Every structure is written in C-alpha cells, then in structure tokens.
Amino acid sequence: MKIGVIGAGNVGGALGKLWARQGHEIVFGVRDPQDAKLQELLKSTSGKARAATVKDAASFGELVVLATPWEATEAAIQSAGSLAGKTVIDCTNPLAPDLSGLVIGTNNSAGEEVARWATGAKVVKAFNTIGAVNFDNPRFGSESASMFICGDDASAKSTVAKLAAEMGFDVVDAGPLTAARSLEPIALLWIHLAFKQGLGPTGHAFKLLRR
C-alpha cells in the first residue's frame, strides 16, 4: 500500500518505519525533507521510505496518516491539499501543552475536527491510545494490547484494522467517529499513568476483555 505519513516524530516515525519494514511504500511529508534527524530515520528503513513535502506525501498516499502535534494539525491539513476520497488516519490527541488535560472534549473531538478540515476524507481515529514506542511490540505477557479505532466509513475502518492487526494489536472497533470523544481521554489516561504514576511508556496498555 502507498502510505503518506504527515509528520515524522515519535508516532509518524514509528509507524512509517514499521510499515516500510512490512513492505508498504512510505513517503514522509514534512516541512524540511532534508532535516538531519529525518535523514537518520530514512536510513533506518533501508531505503524503503523517502521524504517529501506535506502536499506531495498526501498526493502519493492511498492512505494518509496525520501524526502531527495537535496545534500543527490544521495547518498540516491545509498544506496537504485535497484529501477528498482518501482514508485518513488521525493519530492526534488535543493535549494541553503541560499534558494536564485536553483542549477539546466532551461534545467534540480532534477526530471530528480533522474530518471538518479534511473535507471529503474518510477519517479513522487510531494509534492514539498507546505510546509509539510500543508499536513494534504490542505484546504484554500473553496478551496483545487493544487498538481502539473509530470512524464513519466501514471500508476505511477495515483498511486501518488490517494494518493494526498486522502490527500485532487486538483491534477494537469503537463505532462512529464521535467515539473519538472517548478515545482521546483514554490517551490522556495512558499518558498520566506513564509519566505521572510511574508506569513508564512501555509498562502498560489497555485491553478490552470479552466474555
């Protein structure tokens, strides 16, 4: 699959590197494709990924990933150009700068805002409820961490679910995109446990138990 990853930080870098290893074609969309840190990331993919402008990466991708800081997300979508008809994975969390809470919540979500900004895109919320350091190995003992996803397009969710399952996650379809109002607070809880309660970024994950 051709995947454009907008953002090459912790989340975007981890997803792009992993998917390149799995055989997907990856183009990172960034403000400076010649950035030294980005070049190191590209080397780690053994030439299976490249960097371009945000617009070129978005145009390239059959699927586009938004892995930007929340405050940069609207501008990144504007830079991407038209995303109509594309599956867009929204990995963002609308975190306050000091990580004390969310700047959007209860009756709205980052996922819904992304859908408004990316007119005509098929937005799926995913990869936001666990730290990116776990993407390469989501096993915790005998269990696989749950990856909660939500969105309004069944075909788009199926595509994202397959990608997450290939990574080893237990995929949980949480329903329509409005469910992002619940998934983003879950991300905040994960961050709180990791960095305020001492569990660390690799020490815990959420798992949906079924009977």
Side-chain angles (χ1 to χ4, degrees):
M1 178 180 291
K2 294 181 177 180
I3 303 176
V5 181
I6 299 177
N10 291 338
V11 174
L15 288 173
K17 183 177 178 180
L18 181 59
W19 287 337
R21 190 190 311 158
Q22 293 176 340
H24 298 287
E25 298 179 63
I26 307 297
V27 174
F28 290 103
V30 294
R31 286 180 291 183
D32 179 11
Q34 301 305 316
D35 177 77
K37 189 174 181 180
L38 175 60
Q39 293 304 311
E40 289 300 313
L41 172 62
L42 295 178
K43 288 178 184 177
S44 72
T45 71
S46 302
K48 295 179 181 179
R50 62 183 176 87
T53 65
V54 170
K55 187 171 184 177
D56 286 345
S59 177
F60 168 85
E62 303 166 80
L63 179 147
V64 176
V65 178
L66 280 172
T68 52
W70 174 244
E71 62 273 13
T73 300
E74 184 176 10
I77 291 172
Q78 291 173 347
S79 297
S82 176
L83 295 170
K86 291 181 181 283
T87 294
V88 172
I89 301 178
D90 170 32
C91 307
T92 69
N93 284 308
L95 298 168
D98 62 357
L99 305 183
S100 62
L102 302 176
V103 297
I104 296 175
T106 306
N107 59 359
N108 193 11
S109 66
E112 291 167 273
E113 286 293 282
V114 165
R116 293 184 188 99
W117 296 332
T119 306
K122 296 175 284 188
V123 177
V124 179
K125 191 82 185 184
F127 303 113
N128 73 303
T129 55
I130 187 172
V133 69
N134 299 288
F135 288 169
D136 193 41
N137 179 20
R139 295 288 294 180
F140 288 76
S142 62
E143 298 283 356
S144 293
S146 292
M147 177 55 66
F148 301 95
I149 70 172
C150 66
D152 295 332
D153 185 282
S155 177
K157 281 199 292 187
S158 178
T159 298
V160 177
K162 182 178 179 181
L163 286 170
E166 288 175 352
M167 293 165 65
F169 283 103
D170 164 39
V171 182
V172 178
D173 184 345
L177 191 58
T178 52
R181 301 174 189 183
S182 299
L183 299 191
E184 290 161 12
I186 288 176
L188 183 63
L189 176 59
W190 187 92
I191 291 167
H192 175 78
L193 293 173
F195 301 109
K196 300 291 181 65
Q197 294 301 110
L199 294 186
T202 61
H204 70 294
F206 297 119
K207 175 73 175 182
L208 179 68
L209 299 179
R210 304 168 177 85
R211 197 183 294 279

